[in-house]
């Protein structure tokens, strides 16, 4: 009876570990396949995936341990099987995380300056990309992490690196309204008129998300005010649609015609 109870508890605990790690990995892959940014992987999603994995894995492990006990498998062997399975699942989940989101990119997403500085001192590749094709500089620009942006630029990060769809760090900063980052990137040589696969520019991105200060900064830096997306949309059109009076004035004064 003792062995039965111990094996059942062990099965649930180890099954919960295996299930949670595997389910987190599956859920993360599913988010990536659906086109979400990895930092959209918020705590609520993580908690739900973990709980579901624990429940399914735990019950499966408990059932398996009961089956093995009834088959007269010694409890020590059951213990070995589950421990090995748990360690493997943890390793696989960790390996997947590193492949999908390299440590440097993750450090930028979570504002971990010390890890960024360590990577720079170790001469690591500062332009490594995650599964979304985002670099650490792009993520830091999205997060408005000024100190990290400066550190990466000083360390030699490519300010004009592009995602597979053509987006750049400047576009990320402009779309979020992080004007200080926009200025830093421009001063570092960012291509102010780089275009995405759909023809969008940093100025158009700033207009889409109604960021007047970013629009002003980009125009003053010489952005093409008449750039047009593949669908025929311009920054002035967007500013007019969203009733951004200041942006409309700035764009017209700079020569925007439509």
């Amino acid at each position: 009876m003792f062995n039965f109870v111990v094996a059942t508890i062990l099965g649930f605990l180890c099954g919960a570990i295996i299930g949670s790690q595997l389910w987190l990995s599956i859920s993360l892959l599913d988010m990536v396949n659906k086109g979400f940014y990895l930092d959209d992987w918020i705590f609520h999603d993580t908690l739900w995936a973990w709980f579901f994995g624990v429940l399914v894995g735990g019950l499966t492990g408990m059932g398996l341990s009961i089956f093995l006990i009834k088959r007269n498998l010694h409890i020590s062997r059951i213990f070995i099987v589950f421990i090995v399975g748990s360690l493997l699942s943890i390793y696989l989940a960790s390996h997947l995380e590193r492949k999908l989101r390299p440590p440097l990119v993750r450090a930028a997403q979570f504002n971990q300056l010390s890890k960024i500085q360590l990577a720079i001192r170790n001469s690591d590749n500062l332009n490594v990309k995650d599964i979304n094709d985002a670099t650490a500089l792009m993520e830091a620009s999205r997060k408005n992490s000024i100190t990290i942006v400066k550190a990466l630029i000083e360390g030699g990060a490519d300010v004009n690196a592009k995602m597979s769809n053509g987006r750049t760090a400047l576009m990320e900063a402009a779309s979020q309204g992080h004007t200080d980052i926009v200025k830093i990137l421009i001063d570092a040589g960012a291509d102010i008129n780089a275009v995405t696969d759909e023809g969008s520019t940093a100025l158009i991105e700033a207009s889409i998300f109604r960021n007047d200060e970013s629009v002003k900064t980009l125009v003053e830096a010489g952005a093409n005010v008449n750039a047009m997306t593949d669908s025929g949309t311009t920054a002035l059109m967007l500013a007019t649609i969203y009733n951004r009076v200041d942006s409309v004035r700035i764009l017209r004064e700079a020569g925007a015609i439509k």
Side-chain angles (χ1 to χ4, degrees):
M1 182 63 183
F2 175 77
N3 285 349
F4 178 84
V5 173
V6 171
T8 301
I9 295 174
L10 177 65
F12 182 84
L13 293 177
C14 291
I17 293 174
I18 296 171
S20 63
Q21 295 301 308
L22 293 180
W23 199 263
L24 282 170
S25 299
I26 291 170
S27 299
L28 185 58
L29 281 172
D30 182 56
M31 285 194 68
V32 171
N33 289 334
K34 289 178 179 177
F36 290 100
Y37 279 103
L38 287 177
D39 62 348
D40 290 328
W41 179 243
I42 58 176
F43 177 74
H44 177 270
D45 299 308
T46 306
L47 182 63
W48 170 247
W50 179 85
F51 175 77
F52 192 84
V54 165
L55 183 62
V56 174
L59 293 177
T60 301
M62 187 168 61
L64 180 59
S65 64
I66 293 173
F67 171 77
L68 294 176
I69 280 290
K70 289 185 176 180
R71 300 279 296 191
N72 296 320
L73 186 66
H74 195 273
I75 190 171
S76 62
R77 295 184 178 179
I78 296 176
F79 178 79
I80 292 173
V81 169
F82 280 118
I83 291 300
V84 171
S86 298
L87 292 176
L88 281 175
S89 68
I90 293 173
Y91 169 78
L92 289 173
S94 175
H95 180 70
L96 177 64
E97 168 75 9
R98 291 178 68 86
K99 293 290 287 185
L100 294 180
R101 180 165 47 188
L104 183 69
V105 179
R106 180 179 175 84
Q109 290 171 335
F110 291 97
N111 201 28
Q112 297 170 327
L113 179 60
S114 60
K115 292 184 178 181
I116 299 292
Q117 293 172 329
L118 178 61
I120 294 172
R121 287 197 299 271
N122 292 339
S123 298
D124 292 345
N125 179 12
L126 300 184
N127 299 311
V128 64
K129 296 181 177 182
D130 66 14
I131 194 67
N132 293 129
D133 265 344
T135 64
L137 183 59
M138 293 175 190
E139 292 301 331
S141 298
R142 291 182 71 216
K143 295 290 187 179
N144 200 27
S145 301
I146 295 176
T147 305
I148 289 181
V149 167
K150 288 182 177 179
L152 287 167
I153 291 174
E154 291 172 0
D158 183 3
V159 295
N160 288 311
K162 292 187 175 185
M163 299 176 71
S164 58
N165 60 6
R167 291 184 67 83
T168 65
L170 182 60
M171 293 176 190
E172 296 296 328
S175 65
Q176 299 296 320
H178 302 324
T179 308
D180 289 337
I181 301 289
V182 170
K183 293 177 180 177
I184 292 169
L185 290 169
I186 292 174
D187 290 341
D191 183 356
I192 201 168
N193 291 313
V195 297
T196 67
D197 292 348
E198 297 178 347
S200 185
T201 65
L203 181 59
I204 292 174
E205 291 292 314
S207 298
I208 289 175
F209 292 95
R210 312 169 200 182
N211 295 315
D212 297 335
E213 284 301 313
S214 291
V215 168
K216 179 181 179 181
T217 300
L218 289 163
V219 170
E220 291 177 346
N224 180 5
V225 295
N226 289 308
M228 186 180 298
T229 66
D230 294 347
S231 62
T233 302
T234 66
L236 181 57
M237 288 180 186
L238 292 164
T240 302
I241 291 172
Y242 295 129
N243 195 30
R244 309 304 297 183
V245 177
D246 288 340
S247 288
V248 169
R249 176 181 54 78
I250 292 168
L251 289 166
R252 287 195 181 280
E253 289 177 353
I257 57 177
K258 63 178 180 178

